[in-house]
Amino acid sequence: MDLSWNHNAHYHGLLLDRVPRPCARALDVGCGDGRFARLLAGRAGQVDALDPDPRMVDAARRRTPDRLDVRYTKAALGEIDLEPGAYGFVSAISSLHHLPAADFGGALRRLEAALAPGGVLAVLGLYKEETANDRAASAAALAPQWAMGGALAAGRALTGVPDPSEPGMPVAEPEMGLRRIAAEAGAVLPGVRVRRLLFWRYCLFYTRP
């Protein structure tokens, strides 16, 4: 039983609920250690997973059972040609804010072009705190953050400390506030929905007509 917890994993179920049924192929951009890609493989026939960090890709491959059809590629989004209209579901979890802010709209266009008709783009991202509403949301996240942090510590006491040989997830500070994210996404993806979440995250959902 996996007792580990992090802010991204807290929202995996929210994204999985948006996977169309059926879904022959899915794409996970910025897959990290492959945790979400492995879950996604339970909903899609085949999962293509990208990450630019070779340590993350190696860790993802080690952790993925052979029975799951997940194909990992060491590449950044801008380094690979995505097949147009190939995917019923495309996810990007805490990865787009690693790009320069000027590239955000272009990245969304590339992901939208990879969707099949009726396909869903699901983004879980970080935003820069700028407004009073942002600060209120941050304050509201503190109590559950402490509670879940305590649960994580208890789980580690039972299961042991993480393997120090495993790489840590790369981190980056977001450059864009939520208003700009919503405005740029709306300009590129008509009908997109952007919503603030706890734990300094937002979700973005778009369905290609």
Side-chain angles (χ1 to χ4, degrees), residues 50-191:
L50 312 177
D51 200 282
D53 189 328
R55 302 171 308 148
M56 289 286 98
V57 173
D58 288 345
R61 286 173 174 152
R62 288 195 302 271
R63 298 177 185 183
T64 301
D66 291 340
R67 60 182 172 79
L68 297 180
D69 191 358
V70 184
R71 305 177 186 187
Y72 294 102
T73 300
K74 186 196 76 65
L77 177 60
E79 298 172 345
I80 191 167
D81 293 328
L82 300 178
E83 184 180 345
Y87 298 101
F89 183 80
V90 174
S91 56
I93 299 179
S94 289
S95 57
L96 296 188
H97 74 279
H98 286 259
L99 302 174
D103 295 344
F104 180 70
L108 292 181
R109 288 189 186 92
R110 295 198 67 212
L111 298 179
E112 187 272 341
L115 288 173
V120 174
L121 171 62
V123 175
L124 179 67
L126 280 72
Y127 64 86
K128 183 178 180 181
E129 187 176 288
E130 294 179 331
T131 69
N133 285 340
D134 295 340
R135 291 187 285 274
S138 296
L142 291 178
Q145 163 80 4
W146 291 331
M148 290 179 179
L152 176 58
R156 284 178 175 166
L158 291 172
T159 62
V161 297
D163 184 348
S165 68
E166 292 289 353
M169 298 285 277
V171 297
E173 290 296 323
E175 298 180 27
M176 299 172 63
L178 194 57
R179 288 179 179 175
R180 181 179 171 188
I181 290 168
E184 293 202 11
V188 174
L189 306 173

Side-chain angles (χ1 to χ4, degrees), residues 12 16 27-28 31 33-43 46-50 60 64 68-72 91 93:
H12 282 176
L16 289 172
L27 172 68
D28 187 30
C31 65
D33 66 3
R35 177 184 290 197
F36 185 74
R38 291 189 291 275
L39 295 174
L40 189 53
R43 306 287 181 98
Q46 175 188 320
V47 177
D48 295 329
L50 312 177
T64 301
L68 297 180
D69 191 358
V70 184
R71 305 177 186 187
Y72 294 102
S91 56
I93 299 179

